[in-house]
Amino acid sequence: MQSRTIHIGATALHVGVTGHGPDVVVLTGGPGGVQYLERDEIAPRHHRAWYPEPRGVGRSGGGPHTMEEAIADLESIRTAVGVTTWIVVGHSWGSDLAVRYAVEHPQAVAAVVGIAGRGPQRDRTWSEAYEAGKAAEPVVDIDWVPEVHAALSVSFTDWIHRPELWSGLAACTVPMHFIAAGDDIRPPWPLAQLAALLPRGSFSTVPGVPHDFWSTHPELWTQTITDACAAS
């Protein structure tokens, strides 16, 4: 894994990169979480994988920001490193950010692989199921920045309240494959709905794994994202 620093204005962002082949950018969860997927052993095989650390988190400068700024950072990184298009792999919150990125910059996104995302919703029954299952979820220690989390959460809510949200998704022709973790405490129906709405959407489930199966089942995680990227 190589470490790069990309300067966007006065802000320095950390980006890891590893491997060779078609370009993939890997987005982690939170929001406001460190880049916990930046590990050679779980990178998609036969691809060149880029691992940006979010603004204001870990090794990246800056502070609280919006989804618009997060997407602008991705576009600035893509341009700076000379990538024309890339596959966007997003885990958890990263899946939701990937969807918006693809809708707003389809020329930059070859495909989306969204794993264990929330989807563009604030449904009460979804939240109740999540809260009810939290005590049983495997504990994976991930550093995060509360102020960044809060700012992006507000921005996410603003996004899903936009009147053109669903029409924009229905018109997006970027291929998007959504993958649910079979033992995730987060209900998968929002991902299945997205797959049914999008012109080139698809949905599948990895049975018997929790939300953070990149940590608990690393070999299966690697195979899952490798196969999904290759199919894209």
Side-chain angles (χ1 to χ4, degrees):
M1 185 74 65
Q2 299 177 6
S3 177
R4 299 195 183 183
T5 300
I6 306 298
H7 291 273
I8 301 175
T11 302
L13 301 182
H14 167 81
V15 182
V17 58
T18 191
H20 302 278
D23 288 290
V24 178
V25 60
V26 183
L27 310 181
T28 51
V34 299
Q35 180 45 278
Y36 52 80
L37 297 175
E38 188 183 331
R39 294 164 49 189
D40 284 293
E41 63 270 24
I42 59 172
R45 295 188 292 270
H46 317 303
H47 290 78
R48 182 168 63 167
W50 302 87
Y51 296 86
E53 192 143 60
R55 176 181 291 262
V57 177
R59 296 156 289 182
S60 288
H65 57 282
T66 65
M67 290 184 80
E68 290 91 343
E69 291 172 299
I71 290 170
D73 285 345
L74 293 175
E75 277 294 271
S76 295
I77 292 168
R78 182 183 64 81
T79 301
V81 300
V83 170
T84 303
T85 61
W86 49 15
I87 299 168
V88 186
V89 173
H91 175 248
S92 194
W93 154 262
S95 173
D96 302 325
L97 183 62
V99 169
R100 180 169 177 178
Y101 181 27
V103 170
E104 296 182 1
H105 295 276
Q107 78 289 344
V109 180
V112 167
V113 178
I115 305 172
R118 179 188 187 114
Q121 54 80 26
R122 290 284 192 192
D123 183 86
R124 180 178 298 174
T125 62
W126 188 98
S127 297
E128 289 172 350
Y130 170 76
E131 292 296 331
K134 283 177 71 173
E137 186 171 47
V139 176
V140 178
D141 189 21
I142 298 171
D143 288 335
W144 61 292
V145 178
E147 295 82 5
V148 175
H149 176 91
L152 286 169
S153 294
V154 169
S155 182
F156 173 82
T157 300
D158 290 343
W159 173 55
I160 65 173
H161 287 170
R162 291 185 175 184
E164 73 278 9
L165 172 70
W166 298 106
S167 61
L169 287 166
C172 183
T173 58
V174 174
M176 300 196 204
H177 182 194
F178 298 100
I179 302 171
D183 290 345
D184 200 340
I185 64 173
R186 298 153 186 81
W189 58 260
L191 302 181
Q193 285 184 329
L194 275 176
L197 174 66
L198 290 157
R200 301 177 70 184
S202 59
F203 173 78
S204 64
T205 300
V206 179
V209 298
H211 182 73
D212 291 307
F213 72 100
W214 59 271
S215 176
T216 60
H217 299 72
E219 293 183 2
L220 183 55
W221 167 270
T222 305
Q223 190 63 56
T224 298
I225 63 170
T226 299
D227 290 348
C229 288
S232 299

Short mmCIF file of all heavy atoms in Angstrom, two decimals, residues 6-66:
data_model
loop_
_atom_site.label_atom_id
_atom_site.label_comp_id
_atom_site.label_asym_id
_atom_site.label_seq_id
_atom_site.Cartn_x
_atom_site.Cartn_y
_atom_site.Cartn_z
N ILE A 6 -3.03 14.37 -1.48
CA ILE A 6 -3.63 15.18 -2.53
C ILE A 6 -4.06 16.50 -1.92
O ILE A 6 -4.83 16.52 -0.95
CB ILE A 6 -4.84 14.46 -3.16
CG1 ILE A 6 -4.45 13.06 -3.64
CG2 ILE A 6 -5.44 15.30 -4.28
CD1 ILE A 6 -3.40 13.04 -4.72
N HIS A 7 -3.58 17.59 -2.48
CA HIS A 7 -3.91 18.91 -1.97
C HIS A 7 -5.11 19.47 -2.74
O HIS A 7 -5.08 19.57 -3.96
CB HIS A 7 -2.72 19.85 -2.09
CG HIS A 7 -1.58 19.49 -1.18
ND1 HIS A 7 -1.50 19.94 0.12
CD2 HIS A 7 -0.50 18.70 -1.38
CE1 HIS A 7 -0.42 19.45 0.69
NE2 HIS A 7 0.22 18.69 -0.19
N ILE A 8 -6.15 19.81 -1.99
CA ILE A 8 -7.33 20.44 -2.57
C ILE A 8 -7.46 21.80 -1.91
O ILE A 8 -7.88 21.91 -0.74
CB ILE A 8 -8.59 19.58 -2.34
CG1 ILE A 8 -8.38 18.19 -2.98
CG2 ILE A 8 -9.82 20.26 -2.91
CD1 ILE A 8 -9.51 17.22 -2.71
N GLY A 9 -7.05 22.82 -2.62
CA GLY A 9 -6.94 24.12 -1.99
C GLY A 9 -5.90 24.06 -0.89
O GLY A 9 -4.78 23.58 -1.09
N ALA A 10 -6.29 24.51 0.29
CA ALA A 10 -5.37 24.49 1.43
C ALA A 10 -5.45 23.20 2.23
O ALA A 10 -4.75 23.05 3.24
CB ALA A 10 -5.66 25.69 2.34
N THR A 11 -6.27 22.27 1.79
CA THR A 11 -6.50 21.04 2.55
C THR A 11 -5.74 19.86 1.94
O THR A 11 -5.82 19.63 0.73
CB THR A 11 -8.00 20.70 2.59
OG1 THR A 11 -8.71 21.79 3.18
CG2 THR A 11 -8.26 19.44 3.40
N ALA A 12 -5.03 19.12 2.78
CA ALA A 12 -4.29 17.94 2.34
C ALA A 12 -5.09 16.69 2.71
O ALA A 12 -5.43 16.48 3.87
CB ALA A 12 -2.92 17.89 3.00
N LEU A 13 -5.41 15.87 1.70
CA LEU A 13 -6.16 14.64 1.92
C LEU A 13 -5.27 13.43 1.72
O LEU A 13 -4.50 13.36 0.75
CB LEU A 13 -7.36 14.56 0.96
CG LEU A 13 -8.40 15.68 1.04
CD1 LEU A 13 -9.53 15.41 0.05
CD2 LEU A 13 -8.94 15.83 2.45
N HIS A 14 -5.39 12.47 2.62
CA HIS A 14 -4.65 11.22 2.50
C HIS A 14 -5.38 10.27 1.56
O HIS A 14 -6.61 10.11 1.65
CB HIS A 14 -4.49 10.55 3.85
CG HIS A 14 -4.02 9.13 3.73
ND1 HIS A 14 -2.70 8.79 3.53
CD2 HIS A 14 -4.72 7.96 3.75
CE1 HIS A 14 -2.59 7.48 3.45
NE2 HIS A 14 -3.79 6.95 3.56
N VAL A 15 -4.62 9.63 0.68
CA VAL A 15 -5.16 8.61 -0.21
C VAL A 15 -4.17 7.46 -0.27
O VAL A 15 -2.99 7.65 -0.62
CB VAL A 15 -5.41 9.15 -1.63
CG1 VAL A 15 -6.03 8.06 -2.51
CG2 VAL A 15 -6.31 10.37 -1.61
N GLY A 16 -4.62 6.26 0.05
CA GLY A 16 -3.80 5.07 -0.14
C GLY A 16 -4.08 4.47 -1.51
O GLY A 16 -5.17 4.66 -2.07
N VAL A 17 -3.12 3.76 -2.06
CA VAL A 17 -3.31 3.10 -3.36
C VAL A 17 -2.52 1.81 -3.38
O VAL A 17 -1.40 1.73 -2.88
CB VAL A 17 -2.91 4.04 -4.52
CG1 VAL A 17 -1.45 4.48 -4.41
CG2 VAL A 17 -3.17 3.36 -5.87
N THR A 18 -3.12 0.78 -3.95
CA THR A 18 -2.46 -0.51 -4.05
C THR A 18 -2.97 -1.26 -5.26
O THR A 18 -4.09 -1.04 -5.72
CB THR A 18 -2.71 -1.35 -2.77
OG1 THR A 18 -1.86 -2.49 -2.77
CG2 THR A 18 -4.15 -1.80 -2.65
N GLY A 19 -2.14 -2.15 -5.79
CA GLY A 19 -2.56 -3.05 -6.86
C GLY A 19 -2.41 -2.48 -8.25
O GLY A 19 -1.98 -1.34 -8.46
N HIS A 20 -2.81 -3.30 -9.24
CA HIS A 20 -2.70 -2.94 -10.65
C HIS A 20 -3.95 -3.45 -11.37
O HIS A 20 -4.48 -4.50 -11.05
CB HIS A 20 -1.45 -3.56 -11.28
CG HIS A 20 -0.18 -3.15 -10.61
ND1 HIS A 20 0.46 -1.96 -10.87
CD2 HIS A 20 0.56 -3.78 -9.65
CE1 HIS A 20 1.55 -1.87 -10.12
NE2 HIS A 20 1.64 -2.96 -9.37
N GLY A 21 -4.39 -2.68 -12.37
CA GLY A 21 -5.55 -3.07 -13.14
C GLY A 21 -6.56 -1.95 -13.22
O GLY A 21 -6.21 -0.78 -12.98
N PRO A 22 -7.81 -2.26 -13.56
CA PRO A 22 -8.84 -1.23 -13.62
C PRO A 22 -8.97 -0.51 -12.28
O PRO A 22 -8.79 -1.11 -11.21
CB PRO A 22 -10.11 -2.02 -13.95
CG PRO A 22 -9.62 -3.26 -14.61
CD PRO A 22 -8.31 -3.59 -13.96
N ASP A 23 -9.30 0.77 -12.33
CA ASP A 23 -9.31 1.59 -11.12
C ASP A 23 -10.60 1.43 -10.33
O ASP A 23 -11.71 1.41 -10.87
CB ASP A 23 -9.12 3.06 -11.50
CG ASP A 23 -7.71 3.35 -11.94
OD1 ASP A 23 -6.80 3.31 -11.09
OD2 ASP A 23 -7.50 3.59 -13.16
N VAL A 24 -10.41 1.34 -9.01
CA VAL A 24 -11.51 1.23 -8.05
C VAL A 24 -11.24 2.23 -6.93
O VAL A 24 -10.11 2.31 -6.44
CB VAL A 24 -11.60 -0.19 -7.44
CG1 VAL A 24 -12.71 -0.27 -6.40
CG2 VAL A 24 -11.80 -1.23 -8.52
N VAL A 25 -12.25 3.01 -6.53
CA VAL A 25 -12.12 3.84 -5.34
C VAL A 25 -12.99 3.23 -4.26
O VAL A 25 -14.14 2.85 -4.51
CB VAL A 25 -12.50 5.31 -5.62
CG1 VAL A 25 -13.93 5.46 -6.10
CG2 VAL A 25 -12.24 6.18 -4.40
N VAL A 26 -12.45 3.08 -3.07
CA VAL A 26 -13.12 2.38 -1.97
C VAL A 26 -13.49 3.38 -0.89
O VAL A 26 -12.63 4.06 -0.32
CB VAL A 26 -12.20 1.27 -1.41
CG1 VAL A 26 -12.95 0.50 -0.31
CG2 VAL A 26 -11.75 0.32 -2.52
N LEU A 27 -14.79 3.46 -0.59
CA LEU A 27 -15.32 4.42 0.38
C LEU A 27 -15.77 3.70 1.63
O LEU A 27 -16.49 2.69 1.55
CB LEU A 27 -16.50 5.19 -0.22
CG LEU A 27 -16.28 5.80 -1.60
CD1 LEU A 27 -17.53 6.54 -2.06
CD2 LEU A 27 -15.07 6.73 -1.60
N THR A 28 -15.37 4.21 2.79
CA THR A 28 -15.71 3.56 4.05
C THR A 28 -16.93 4.19 4.70
O THR A 28 -17.51 5.15 4.21
CB THR A 28 -14.52 3.62 5.03
OG1 THR A 28 -14.06 4.97 5.10
CG2 THR A 28 -13.39 2.74 4.57
N GLY A 29 -17.32 3.61 5.82
CA GLY A 29 -18.56 3.99 6.47
C GLY A 29 -18.40 5.09 7.50
O GLY A 29 -17.40 5.78 7.58
N GLY A 30 -19.41 5.22 8.30
CA GLY A 30 -19.47 6.25 9.34
C GLY A 30 -20.88 6.84 9.42
O GLY A 30 -21.76 6.19 9.98
N PRO A 31 -21.08 8.03 8.84
CA PRO A 31 -20.06 8.85 8.21
C PRO A 31 -19.07 9.40 9.24
O PRO A 31 -19.35 9.42 10.43
CB PRO A 31 -20.85 9.99 7.57
CG PRO A 31 -22.08 10.11 8.42
CD PRO A 31 -22.41 8.70 8.85
N GLY A 32 -17.93 9.81 8.76
CA GLY A 32 -16.90 10.35 9.65
C GLY A 32 -15.95 9.31 10.18
O GLY A 32 -15.18 9.59 11.09
N GLY A 33 -15.98 8.08 9.61
CA GLY A 33 -15.07 7.03 10.05
C GLY A 33 -13.74 7.10 9.32
O GLY A 33 -13.65 7.61 8.20
N VAL A 34 -12.70 6.60 9.96
CA VAL A 34 -11.39 6.53 9.31
C VAL A 34 -11.46 5.54 8.15
O VAL A 34 -12.43 4.78 7.99
CB VAL A 34 -10.29 6.11 10.30
CG1 VAL A 34 -10.15 7.11 11.44
CG2 VAL A 34 -10.56 4.70 10.84
N GLN A 35 -10.40 5.52 7.33
CA GLN A 35 -10.37 4.63 6.18
C GLN A 35 -9.95 3.22 6.64
O GLN A 35 -8.81 2.80 6.52
CB GLN A 35 -9.40 5.20 5.14
CG GLN A 35 -9.22 4.40 3.86
CD GLN A 35 -10.48 3.89 3.23
OE1 GLN A 35 -10.99 2.85 3.65
NE2 GLN A 35 -10.98 4.56 2.23
N TYR A 36 -10.92 2.49 7.18
CA TYR A 36 -10.62 1.19 7.78
C TYR A 36 -10.43 0.07 6.75
O TYR A 36 -9.98 -1.02 7.10
CB TYR A 36 -11.72 0.78 8.78
CG TYR A 36 -13.13 0.85 8.26
CD1 TYR A 36 -13.67 -0.16 7.46
CD2 TYR A 36 -13.95 1.92 8.60
CE1 TYR A 36 -14.96 -0.09 7.01
CE2 TYR A 36 -15.25 2.00 8.15
CZ TYR A 36 -15.76 0.98 7.35
OH TYR A 36 -17.06 1.06 6.89
N LEU A 37 -10.75 0.32 5.49
CA LEU A 37 -10.59 -0.70 4.46
C LEU A 37 -9.24 -0.63 3.75
O LEU A 37 -8.96 -1.43 2.87
CB LEU A 37 -11.71 -0.59 3.42
CG LEU A 37 -13.12 -0.83 3.96
CD1 LEU A 37 -14.15 -0.57 2.88
CD2 LEU A 37 -13.26 -2.25 4.49
N GLU A 38 -8.39 0.29 4.16
CA GLU A 38 -7.09 0.48 3.52
C GLU A 38 -6.10 -0.58 3.99
O GLU A 38 -5.19 -0.32 4.79
CB GLU A 38 -6.56 1.90 3.82
CG GLU A 38 -5.31 2.25 3.04
CD GLU A 38 -4.78 3.63 3.41
OE1 GLU A 38 -5.58 4.51 3.80
OE2 GLU A 38 -3.56 3.82 3.30
N ARG A 39 -6.28 -1.79 3.47
CA ARG A 39 -5.44 -2.93 3.83
C ARG A 39 -5.21 -3.78 2.60
O ARG A 39 -6.17 -4.17 1.91
CB ARG A 39 -6.12 -3.76 4.93
CG ARG A 39 -6.27 -3.03 6.25
CD ARG A 39 -7.28 -3.72 7.17
NE ARG A 39 -7.05 -5.14 7.31
CZ ARG A 39 -7.89 -5.97 7.93
NH1 ARG A 39 -9.00 -5.50 8.47
NH2 ARG A 39 -7.61 -7.25 8.02
N ASP A 40 -3.95 -4.08 2.32
CA ASP A 40 -3.63 -4.85 1.11
C ASP A 40 -4.36 -6.18 1.06
O ASP A 40 -4.81 -6.61 0.00
CB ASP A 40 -2.12 -5.10 1.04
CG ASP A 40 -1.35 -3.87 0.63
OD1 ASP A 40 -1.49 -3.44 -0.53
OD2 ASP A 40 -0.59 -3.33 1.45
N GLU A 41 -4.47 -6.83 2.22
CA GLU A 41 -5.01 -8.20 2.22
C GLU A 41 -6.51 -8.26 1.91
O GLU A 41 -7.03 -9.34 1.60
CB GLU A 41 -4.73 -8.89 3.55
CG GLU A 41 -5.36 -8.23 4.78
CD GLU A 41 -4.51 -7.19 5.44
OE1 GLU A 41 -3.64 -6.61 4.75
OE2 GLU A 41 -4.72 -6.92 6.63
N ILE A 42 -7.23 -7.14 1.97
CA ILE A 42 -8.66 -7.17 1.63
C ILE A 42 -8.96 -6.27 0.43
O ILE A 42 -10.13 -5.97 0.16
CB ILE A 42 -9.54 -6.76 2.84
CG1 ILE A 42 -9.21 -5.35 3.34
CG2 ILE A 42 -9.42 -7.78 3.96
CD1 ILE A 42 -10.19 -4.85 4.40
N ALA A 43 -7.94 -5.88 -0.31
CA ALA A 43 -8.15 -5.08 -1.52
C ALA A 43 -8.68 -5.97 -2.64
O ALA A 43 -8.37 -7.17 -2.70
CB ALA A 43 -6.84 -4.43 -1.95
N PRO A 44 -9.49 -5.42 -3.54
CA PRO A 44 -9.95 -6.21 -4.69
C PRO A 44 -8.77 -6.65 -5.55
O PRO A 44 -7.93 -5.84 -5.93
CB PRO A 44 -10.88 -5.25 -5.44
CG PRO A 44 -10.47 -3.88 -5.00
CD PRO A 44 -9.98 -4.03 -3.59
N ARG A 45 -8.71 -7.92 -5.85
CA ARG A 45 -7.61 -8.45 -6.64
C ARG A 45 -7.74 -8.03 -8.10
O ARG A 45 -8.84 -7.86 -8.62
CB ARG A 45 -7.56 -9.98 -6.52
CG ARG A 45 -7.23 -10.46 -5.11
CD ARG A 45 -6.99 -11.96 -5.08
NE ARG A 45 -8.22 -12.70 -5.35
CZ ARG A 45 -9.08 -13.10 -4.41
NH1 ARG A 45 -8.85 -12.80 -3.14
NH2 ARG A 45 -10.16 -13.77 -4.74
N HIS A 46 -6.58 -7.89 -8.76
CA HIS A 46 -6.51 -7.57 -10.19
C HIS A 46 -7.09 -6.19 -10.51
O HIS A 46 -7.56 -5.95 -11.63
CB HIS A 46 -7.23 -8.64 -11.03
CG HIS A 46 -6.94 -10.03 -10.60
ND1 HIS A 46 -5.65 -10.55 -10.55
CD2 HIS A 46 -7.77 -11.03 -10.17
CE1 HIS A 46 -5.70 -11.80 -10.13
NE2 HIS A 46 -6.96 -12.11 -9.89
N HIS A 47 -7.07 -5.30 -9.54
CA HIS A 47 -7.52 -3.93 -9.72
C HIS A 47 -6.52 -2.99 -9.03
O HIS A 47 -5.79 -3.41 -8.12
CB HIS A 47 -8.91 -3.70 -9.13
CG HIS A 47 -10.00 -4.39 -9.87
ND1 HIS A 47 -10.25 -5.74 -9.74
CD2 HIS A 47 -10.91 -3.92 -10.77
CE1 HIS A 47 -11.27 -6.08 -10.52
NE2 HIS A 47 -11.69 -5.00 -11.15
N ARG A 48 -6.51 -1.74 -9.46
CA ARG A 48 -5.80 -0.70 -8.72
C ARG A 48 -6.81 0.01 -7.82
O ARG A 48 -7.77 0.61 -8.32
CB ARG A 48 -5.13 0.30 -9.66
CG ARG A 48 -4.33 1.37 -8.92
CD ARG A 48 -3.45 2.19 -9.84
NE ARG A 48 -4.21 2.95 -10.83
CZ ARG A 48 -3.70 3.93 -11.58
NH1 ARG A 48 -2.42 4.25 -11.46
NH2 ARG A 48 -4.45 4.56 -12.47
N ALA A 49 -6.62 -0.11 -6.52
CA ALA A 49 -7.61 0.39 -5.56
C ALA A 49 -7.10 1.64 -4.87
O ALA A 49 -5.98 1.68 -4.36
CB ALA A 49 -7.94 -0.69 -4.53
N TRP A 50 -7.97 2.67 -4.82
CA TRP A 50 -7.67 3.94 -4.18
C TRP A 50 -8.49 4.06 -2.90
O TRP A 50 -9.68 3.73 -2.90
CB TRP A 50 -8.00 5.09 -5.12
CG TRP A 50 -7.26 5.05 -6.42
CD1 TRP A 50 -7.64 4.39 -7.56
CD2 TRP A 50 -6.01 5.68 -6.71
NE1 TRP A 50 -6.70 4.58 -8.55
CE2 TRP A 50 -5.69 5.37 -8.05
CE3 TRP A 50 -5.13 6.48 -5.98
CZ2 TRP A 50 -4.53 5.82 -8.68
CZ3 TRP A 50 -3.98 6.94 -6.60
CH2 TRP A 50 -3.68 6.61 -7.94
N TYR A 51 -7.87 4.55 -1.83
CA TYR A 51 -8.51 4.61 -0.52
C TYR A 51 -8.43 6.03 0.06
O TYR A 51 -7.53 6.34 0.84
CB TYR A 51 -7.83 3.63 0.43
CG TYR A 51 -7.98 2.18 0.04
CD1 TYR A 51 -7.08 1.59 -0.85
CD2 TYR A 51 -9.02 1.42 0.53
CE1 TYR A 51 -7.22 0.27 -1.23
CE2 TYR A 51 -9.17 0.09 0.15
CZ TYR A 51 -8.26 -0.48 -0.73
OH TYR A 51 -8.41 -1.79 -1.10
N PRO A 52 -9.37 6.90 -0.31
CA PRO A 52 -9.35 8.24 0.28
C PRO A 52 -9.83 8.22 1.73
O PRO A 52 -10.77 7.51 2.08
CB PRO A 52 -10.33 9.02 -0.60
CG PRO A 52 -11.26 7.97 -1.13
CD PRO A 52 -10.45 6.73 -1.28
N GLU A 53 -9.14 8.98 2.56
CA GLU A 53 -9.61 9.17 3.94
C GLU A 53 -10.41 10.48 3.96
O GLU A 53 -9.94 11.50 3.47
CB GLU A 53 -8.44 9.25 4.91
CG GLU A 53 -8.86 9.15 6.37
CD GLU A 53 -7.86 8.37 7.19
OE1 GLU A 53 -6.69 8.78 7.25
OE2 GLU A 53 -8.23 7.33 7.76
N PRO A 54 -11.61 10.45 4.52
CA PRO A 54 -12.48 11.63 4.41
C PRO A 54 -11.87 12.89 5.01
O PRO A 54 -11.07 12.84 5.96
CB PRO A 54 -13.73 11.21 5.19
CG PRO A 54 -13.73 9.72 5.17
CD PRO A 54 -12.28 9.33 5.20
N ARG A 55 -12.25 13.99 4.46
CA ARG A 55 -11.86 15.31 4.96
C ARG A 55 -12.17 15.41 6.46
O ARG A 55 -13.25 15.04 6.91
CB ARG A 55 -12.64 16.37 4.18
CG ARG A 55 -12.46 17.79 4.62
CD ARG A 55 -13.31 18.71 3.75
NE ARG A 55 -12.81 18.76 2.39
CZ ARG A 55 -12.02 19.72 1.90
NH1 ARG A 55 -11.66 20.74 2.69
NH2 ARG A 55 -11.62 19.70 0.64
N GLY A 56 -11.19 15.88 7.23
CA GLY A 56 -11.40 16.07 8.65
C GLY A 56 -11.29 14.82 9.50
O GLY A 56 -11.59 14.85 10.69
N VAL A 57 -10.82 13.72 8.90
CA VAL A 57 -10.76 12.43 9.59
C VAL A 57 -9.36 11.85 9.45
O VAL A 57 -8.76 11.89 8.37
CB VAL A 57 -11.79 11.45 9.02
CG1 VAL A 57 -11.67 10.08 9.70
CG2 VAL A 57 -13.21 12.00 9.17
N GLY A 58 -8.83 11.28 10.53
CA GLY A 58 -7.56 10.55 10.47
C GLY A 58 -6.42 11.37 9.91
O GLY A 58 -6.07 12.43 10.44
N ARG A 59 -5.86 10.93 8.80
CA ARG A 59 -4.67 11.55 8.22
C ARG A 59 -5.02 12.69 7.25
O ARG A 59 -4.11 13.28 6.65
CB ARG A 59 -3.85 10.47 7.50
CG ARG A 59 -3.30 9.41 8.43
CD ARG A 59 -3.02 8.10 7.71
NE ARG A 59 -4.26 7.44 7.34
CZ ARG A 59 -4.33 6.25 6.73
NH1 ARG A 59 -3.20 5.62 6.42
NH2 ARG A 59 -5.50 5.70 6.44
N SER A 60 -6.30 12.98 7.07
CA SER A 60 -6.72 14.05 6.16
C SER A 60 -7.01 15.33 6.93
O SER A 60 -7.60 15.30 8.02
CB SER A 60 -7.97 13.63 5.38
OG SER A 60 -7.65 12.65 4.41
N GLY A 61 -6.64 16.45 6.33
CA GLY A 61 -6.94 17.74 6.93
C GLY A 61 -8.38 18.14 6.68
O GLY A 61 -9.17 17.40 6.10
N GLY A 62 -8.71 19.34 7.13
CA GLY A 62 -10.08 19.83 6.97
C GLY A 62 -10.91 19.53 8.20
O GLY A 62 -10.40 19.24 9.28
N GLY A 63 -12.22 19.60 8.03
CA GLY A 63 -13.12 19.41 9.16
C GLY A 63 -14.50 19.02 8.70
O GLY A 63 -14.67 18.43 7.63
N PRO A 64 -15.52 19.32 9.49
CA PRO A 64 -16.90 18.97 9.12
C PRO A 64 -17.24 19.51 7.74
O PRO A 64 -16.85 20.62 7.37
CB PRO A 64 -17.73 19.64 10.21
CG PRO A 64 -16.80 19.71 11.39
CD PRO A 64 -15.45 19.98 10.81
N HIS A 65 -18.00 18.72 6.97
CA HIS A 65 -18.31 19.07 5.60
C HIS A 65 -19.60 18.40 5.16
O HIS A 65 -20.17 17.58 5.88
CB HIS A 65 -17.16 18.67 4.67
CG HIS A 65 -16.82 17.21 4.73
ND1 HIS A 65 -16.08 16.65 5.76
CD2 HIS A 65 -17.13 16.18 3.91
CE1 HIS A 65 -15.92 15.36 5.55
NE2 HIS A 65 -16.56 15.05 4.44
N THR A 66 -20.07 18.73 3.98
CA THR A 66 -21.32 18.19 3.44
C THR A 66 -21.04 17.05 2.47
O THR A 66 -19.90 16.81 2.05
CB THR A 66 -22.08 19.30 2.70
OG1 THR A 66 -21.29 19.71 1.56
CG2 THR A 66 -22.36 20.49 3.60
#
